[in-house]
Amino acid sequence: MTSSEDSRLSRRALLRTTAAAGAAAATLIHPGTASAAPAIPPTRTGHNPAGTQKKGSIPTPAEYFGTAIGTEGFLAQWDKMVPYFQLIGARSDRMHFEEIGKTTRGYPYVLLTISSPKNLANLDKLVATNARLADPRGLSEADAKKLATEGKPFYYVQAGIHSTEVGNSQAAIEWAYRLATEKSEYIEKILDNLVILLQPCQNPDGIVLVNDYFAATAGTDYSRTYPDLYNKYTGHDDNRDWMMLTQIESRYNVSILNKYRPHVFQDSHGAGASAPRLFTPPYLSPYDPNIDTILVQQTDTVGLAMQRGMTVSGMKGNGWGSTYDYWSPSRQYCVYHGAARILTEAAAASNLAYPQVGTKPLGQQTTAINFIEPYDSNTWSLRNIIDWVSQAFYSGLEAVAYDNYNWLYNSYRVGVKAVTRTSPYAYVIPAGQRDPQAVYDALEIFHLGAVEIRQAQAAFTADGKRYPAGSYVIYMQQPYAGFAKTLLEVQEYPQLLQYPGGPPQRPYDTTAQTLPMLLGFEAELIATSFSADTKLLNSIKPPVVATPSAPRSTGAYAIGPESYGVFRIVAALQKQNIPTFRAAAQFTDGGRTFPAGTFLVPPSSAARQLLQTQSKSTGIPVSAVSTVPTVAGVQLKPGTKIGLLKPPDNMPSGWLMWVFDRYGVNYSVVEAGDYADLAGKYDAIIMPDGVSKNSIVNGLNSTKYPSDWAWAFGVGTTGWNQLHDFVTGGGTLVTYGSATATAQSLFSLPITSTLPSGSSSDFYCPGSLLSQEFDTNNPAAWGVPANNPVWFVSNDAYKLTSTSTYPVDVIAKYPDSGDQLQSGWLIGGEHLNAAVNGLSWKIGDGYVATFGNEIGFRTWNRSEQRMLFNAAYYGPSTKLTADQFQRFGK
């Protein structure tokens, strides 16, 4: 995201309104007895040392915030919540306050550790006990049982990851107060038997944006809901990052899980207004077979305990066993690390914090074994949400605290099953692969995921194949091998139908996550044991590469296109205005063959210094050619300016912003005011999935949002035509996913869908990896493997109906026949046979590249995502004949 965009968001985030006077907070079925008086929050942060005397009364939430939590139209804001948690931590001997770090936008990311004073004083030992039970190698069963009697289970509850699901973070304020102050036998028993890790907001940036905007628009006619991504890059996808671990907040969360090894992870969310008042596990089928069956059963146990607690307390309208499955690791890192994932989903109120009112009782009104009591009121409020999620939370605590020995001992049993696994034996990632960035990224994910990675110190043989020294070995006999296995293996999602012969049962999220296919590297399954001299890696570093001697004046530095990471180097070259060329055909030099798309950089001291630095940091090798080849090629336009079409709340564009910022790409979001001079501002424009004609022409309603949002207001048919003229006048446009249909509308592209328009029983692909054939001589596919799998999630495939409307070339297509599925779930794959996916067009004087699938999905499919860069840089480049290209070296 550009600095100007950050400034706009910061201004909006600073808007505040004064909170109204409040009322007393409601109590739950185990009411507390403590009282407190208002106080000034302390300024210090961090842990209070064990044994330090804490003094001072703790104000109730209503006293501190001036309004009772759950009051209609009121949402507590982060800039006041954090000092309140600090105050409680300073004045209660039951709670430690810790700032883990700063978020993407610089807000505090906090963790509250809550237990009895004795447990907090003994916290390091309790954490060590968890670690020992989780990794039982060398631990006898007798010693494990002894540790299980000495330790305490850890219950990690997280709220506020999805910022418009406001109830959970508000409830966490009351949880922290009650647990820190209530002097009842009920609470004290929980705290004696349990350590609670309370994260009141997993996405602080979002709570600032959403709650502050809600407060700032009070008393206006503006919409009360923040209209854009509430995480800078990922928005609602911020809990789909728990396998790639791209975001700092994801990494903080993983660091907590890895340090404390909690036995339960409660992931507290909100759902639509018509959903059950509160969903808990058990989940729908399927569950990922890499999740230990003990954890599956424990998940069911806690979920049903929550259901029982709500039923006993008279809270109706709750359900389980619907909508949500137990499959994708992108949403549940914890289950591969010994913690049952307890998803709670509370039905939404109206407009964030106002009652939802109907003409009859809300929600489902028929009973079922997984929905036993319909909700019997026509009103549902923020206070209701807080009460329901709070009751579920305390029932979950009870389920673990009252059975603490079994939770600890079962942790040991889960670990034993992992470390005594007999098949498969290992995965080997061979050394010397075509894309060192792909291998590095995968290894970093595994390392962050507490997976043990070993590197071969000498060549070895496994399953009859010889592997060179430097190859990486991930043995499966280790505690968290399931995390590596589920990311390395091919997924075979079960063919689940709603009823025999009926449509498919929709998975809650995607069905495939095979990293080697997504990133583009080789990982080989080894079924039987083998011997190898290996070293355990304590850190992951790029491979060591040597910068070649400076080429002579007729030569150039050469960088292959095989690694998607090469575009970090390209962005750096662009930033320093160093001339950069690409060969449009294969060539040879010094007995070595260089593929089409190879980057060539004329020798200079600036180029050498930059390439040396970049090569070392990426592990991408740089070589030299003695003579610039006599082949056609291109010169990248210096300082290529890329525009990103980003409607508000468009997650695909958010993910691209993360990639562009990480690589240092010269880009900015296209604003409504830019359309009058697109060619003056941009060389290439990228239109990601989700950008429609409506989002361009109509945009945000200017009567519903203040002038700060003018950048996202509609540009009308005038702007729509200006986008058309930008391309025909010589601009570049790259589209993917549903945006390709938008481009089809803009230019009347001669393509038609090959997929049936009827039932999902005929064609269904909810997030899978499919076969693909690339023309690697096409500039958009330079560096992509010829048979690189592509990501497909409810996308489209096409038939080219005319080759005379515009000059057009096929970049990528599906095989003419055969099994199109590589990993995941696909119904009706025959409709993809011979369909085209990627096409490059000459439209007027401009260049357009369109892709039917999502080539930029959540940064997962990086191997094919490079086509965005290829096309965006190629379009504005200067096309050179073989003679012109060869002369740049003279």
Side-chain angles (χ1 to χ4, degrees):
M1 185 178 290
T2 58
S3 57
S4 61
E5 238 190 336
D6 270 332
S7 298
R8 285 199 307 272
L9 289 170
S10 297
R11 290 197 301 272
R12 291 196 289 272
L14 288 173
L15 294 171
R16 298 286 189 274
T17 57
T18 303
T27 58
L28 298 173
I29 60 172
H30 293 288
T33 58
S35 62
I40 299 172
T43 56
R44 65 190 180 85
T45 62
H47 280 322
N48 293 96
T52 299
Q53 183 68 31
K54 301 186 181 184
K55 297 180 179 180
S57 59
I58 299 172
T60 67
E63 290 168 333
Y64 181 84
F65 291 95
T67 302
I69 300 302
T71 297
E72 177 182 322
F74 172 74
L75 293 174
Q77 293 163 264
W78 193 238
D79 64 348
K80 199 165 184 181
M81 289 169 66
V82 172
Y84 185 55
F85 296 134
Q86 289 176 296
L87 182 154
I88 297 174
R91 298 186 177 181
S92 171
D93 58 3
R94 298 176 176 182
M95 188 172 100
H96 288 170
F97 172 95
E98 180 180 5
E99 181 177 307
I100 302 295
K102 298 296 185 184
T103 64
T104 302
R105 295 189 182 279
Y107 295 105
Y109 184 99
V110 306
L111 178 69
L112 313 178
T113 305
I114 306 171
S115 193
S116 68
K118 179 180 178 182
N119 288 340
L120 290 181
N122 202 30
L123 188 62
D124 289 345
K125 183 177 179 181
L126 296 177
V127 171
T129 296
N130 281 357
R132 191 67 189 96
L133 290 169
D135 183 358
R137 288 173 290 191
L139 180 65
S140 70
E141 185 167 353
D143 286 341
K145 289 180 176 179
K146 183 173 184 293
L147 287 174
T149 63
E150 298 170 349
K152 304 293 181 183
F154 280 52
Y155 191 110
Y156 180 14
V157 58
Q158 185 178 91
I161 188 166
H162 290 158
S163 306
T164 52
E165 299 165 7
V166 295
N168 294 291
S169 281
Q170 300 296 295
I173 298 169
E174 295 187 348
W175 300 347
Y177 173 76
R178 184 182 184 194
L179 291 167
T181 64
E182 184 174 313
K183 299 183 185 303
S184 66
E185 181 182 355
Y186 171 72
I187 290 296
E188 289 178 353
K189 183 174 181 180
I190 287 175
L191 298 181
D192 284 342
N193 290 344
L194 199 61
V195 176
I196 301 162
L197 305 172
L198 171 54
Q199 189 174 71
C201 187
Q202 157 66 8
N203 179 21
D205 293 351
I207 200 173
V208 170
L209 293 171
V210 170
N211 291 18
D212 288 10
Y213 185 85
F214 179 83
T217 53
T220 72
D221 292 330
Y222 292 132
S223 172
R224 303 300 303 284
T225 303
Y226 183 74
D228 204 358
L229 298 174
Y230 47 67
N231 176 287
K232 179 175 181 178
Y233 297 120
T234 66
H236 193 82
D237 271 352
D238 56 357
N239 73 325
R240 270 68 171 180
D241 187 46
W242 291 343
M243 73 177 195
M244 301 302 277
L245 307 177
T246 65
Q247 305 300 302
I248 186 64
E249 295 84 0
S250 302
R251 295 189 176 203
Y252 287 153
N253 181 48
V254 163
S255 72
I256 293 167
L257 287 160
N258 290 352
K259 175 181 178 180
Y260 294 102
R261 294 173 176 84
H263 304 85
V264 174
F265 175 70
Q266 182 182 326
D267 193 7
S268 306
H269 285 257
S274 62
R277 298 305 90 187
L278 191 70
F279 168 90
T280 74
Y283 300 110
L284 280 174
S285 292
Y287 72 89
D288 181 355
N290 293 302
I291 304 172
D292 190 276
T293 53
I294 294 174
L295 292 177
V296 176
Q297 292 282 9
Q298 291 186 150
T299 301
D300 295 348
T301 297
V302 176
L304 290 175
M306 290 176 163
Q307 292 287 330
R308 180 186 62 192
M310 289 183 291
T311 300
V312 168
S313 64
M315 296 177 174
K316 301 179 181 180
N318 311 300
W320 53 270
S322 64
T323 307
Y324 308 100
D325 57 39
Y326 215 0
W327 184 263
S328 175
S330 66
R331 294 183 292 117
Q332 47 199 27
Y333 171 96
C334 60
V335 299
Y336 306 96
H337 294 80
R341 178 181 183 245
I342 309 300
L343 172 68
T344 63
E345 294 270 356
S350 177
N351 213 4
L352 298 184
Y354 292 89
Q356 181 80 23
V357 181
T359 58
K360 57 185 180 179
L362 300 175
Q364 178 181 331
Q365 293 299 303
T366 57
T367 61
I369 191 66
N370 63 340
F371 188 85
I372 60 176
E373 283 187 305
Y375 188 60
D376 55 7
S377 172
N378 71 335
T379 302
W380 180 251
S381 66
L382 177 60
R383 185 66 248 174
N384 290 135
I385 295 172
I386 292 171
D387 287 344
W388 260 246
V389 300
S390 296
Q391 180 58 64
F393 169 59
Y394 289 113
S395 293
L397 296 182
E398 292 172 24
V400 182
Y402 297 172
D403 190 26
N404 56 359
Y405 172 83
N406 282 322
W407 281 90
L408 288 160
Y409 180 68
N410 288 347
S411 172
Y412 163 74
R413 294 304 309 163
V414 169
V416 167
K417 290 169 69 178
V419 302
T420 58
R421 180 196 305 269
T422 57
S423 179
Y425 186 74
Y427 275 90
V428 172
I429 300 174
Q433 298 203 30
R434 71 188 306 273
D435 190 345
Q437 184 73 59
V439 173
Y440 176 82
D441 286 353
L443 293 176
E444 185 182 36
I445 289 167
F446 296 138
H447 183 67
L448 289 168
V451 173
E452 296 171 357
I453 305 165
R454 306 187 76 90
Q455 189 168 28
Q457 304 301 292
F460 65 95
T461 300
D463 277 0
K465 182 174 179 178
R466 192 72 171 166
Y467 293 96
S471 297
Y472 301 97
V473 181
I474 299 176
Y475 292 105
M476 292 291 102
Q477 302 77 32
Q478 57 171 296
Y480 308 127
F483 183 62
K485 184 173 178 287
T486 202
L487 296 183
L488 288 170
E489 69 186 3
V490 172
Q491 276 69 55
E492 296 181 2
Y493 193 86
Q495 299 281 340
L496 298 176
L497 304 179
Q498 295 180 22
Y499 50 84
Q505 175 185 298
R506 179 187 180 275
Y508 184 66
D509 199 37
T510 58
T511 63
Q513 62 264 359
T514 309
L515 274 188
M517 295 183 186
L518 291 166
L519 302 184
F521 68 96
E522 295 178 10
E524 300 184 7
L525 176 66
I526 308 299
T528 57
S529 63
F530 60 90
S531 296
D533 177 14
T534 62
K535 176 184 178 182
L536 180 66
L537 299 183
N538 295 317
S539 62
I540 304 301
K541 299 177 182 178
V544 177
V545 290
T547 304
S549 301
R552 60 192 187 191
S553 60
T554 57
Y557 291 106
I559 314 149
E562 296 90 350
S563 174
Y564 58 76
V566 74
F567 288 101
R568 297 186 185 196
I569 302 177
V570 171
L573 290 165
Q574 289 258 307
K575 189 173 183 178
Q576 291 198 21
N577 202 30
I578 295 174
T580 307
F581 298 79
R582 300 192 78 174
Q586 177 180 292
F587 67 92
T588 59
D589 183 270
R592 178 181 169 185
T593 299
F594 293 83
T598 295
F599 293 88
L600 295 176
V601 179
S604 68
S605 59
R608 179 171 181 80
Q609 183 176 354
L610 183 147
L611 293 175
Q612 196 168 28
T613 300
Q614 290 288 324
S615 180
K616 181 179 180 180
S617 66
T618 63
I620 297 172
V622 175
S623 57
V625 295
S626 58
T627 304
V628 175
T630 308
V631 297
V634 300
Q635 180 176 4
L636 303 193
K637 183 174 182 179
T640 303
K641 296 172 292 185
I642 295 176
L644 176 60
L645 282 178
K646 178 192 172 297
D649 207 28
N650 178 264
M651 287 182 286
S653 60
W655 283 112
L656 282 185
M657 290 192 301
W658 180 81
V659 174
F660 290 166
D661 283 347
R662 189 178 185 223
Y663 283 22
V665 172
N666 180 21
Y667 85 102
S668 62
V669 170
V670 178
E671 301 188 0
D674 294 341
Y675 279 75
D677 186 26
L678 289 173
K681 292 179 177 293
Y682 305 108
D683 300 308
I685 291 175
I686 293 177
M687 184 188 292
D689 182 73
V691 179
S692 64
K693 182 177 180 179
N694 179 66
S695 69
I696 294 171
V697 172
N698 297 320
L700 282 184
N701 186 336
S702 60
T703 68
K704 294 294 183 182
Y705 299 94
S707 59
D708 278 346
W709 293 92
W711 67 274
F713 292 166
V715 297
T717 55
T718 298
W720 178 253
N721 292 331
Q722 288 168 333
L723 180 60
H724 177 280
D725 294 343
F726 163 77
V727 173
T728 58
T732 292
L733 181 68
V734 185
T735 74
Y736 64 87
S738 65
T740 289
T742 307
Q744 182 183 19
S745 173
L746 184 63
F747 300 112
S748 299
L749 298 178
I751 53 177
T752 185
S753 176
T754 65
L755 304 183
S757 57
S759 168
S760 56
S761 298
D762 298 323
F763 182 85
Y764 190 61
C765 188
S768 303
L769 286 155
L770 306 181
S771 301
Q772 194 82 165
E773 297 173 348
F774 289 89
D775 177 3
T776 57
N777 289 312
N778 187 294
W782 281 340
V784 181
N787 294 290
N788 193 93
V790 297
W791 181 261
F792 194 106
V793 53
S794 303
N795 298 140
D796 213 339
Y798 296 101
K799 176 182 178 181
L800 183 61
T801 58
S802 171
T803 57
S804 59
T805 306
Y806 303 109
V808 59
D809 291 307
V810 175
I811 302 169
K813 63 181 285 291
Y814 297 92
D816 292 341
S817 63
D819 186 1
Q820 303 288 358
L821 180 64
Q822 294 290 309
S823 183
W825 189 15
L826 176 65
I827 295 173
E830 65 274 9
H831 296 290
L832 294 171
N833 290 350
V836 295
N837 182 24
L839 293 162
S840 58
W841 312 80
K842 181 70 173 176
I843 300 180
D845 291 329
Y847 171 81
V848 176
T850 61
F851 300 90
N853 76 310
E854 287 193 53
I855 62 174
F857 186 79
R858 298 177 183 168
T859 79
W860 291 8
N861 49 335
R862 297 173 193 173
S863 183
E864 56 173 316
Q865 187 181 55
R866 84 186 80 197
M867 292 189 292
L868 284 173
F869 293 98
N870 277 336
Y873 284 120
Y874 173 78
S877 67
T878 301
K879 305 340 183 249
L880 304 175
T881 65
D883 185 58
Q884 291 171 327
F885 189 77
Q886 201 276 332
R887 285 206 305 271
F888 95 72
K890 294 183 179 179

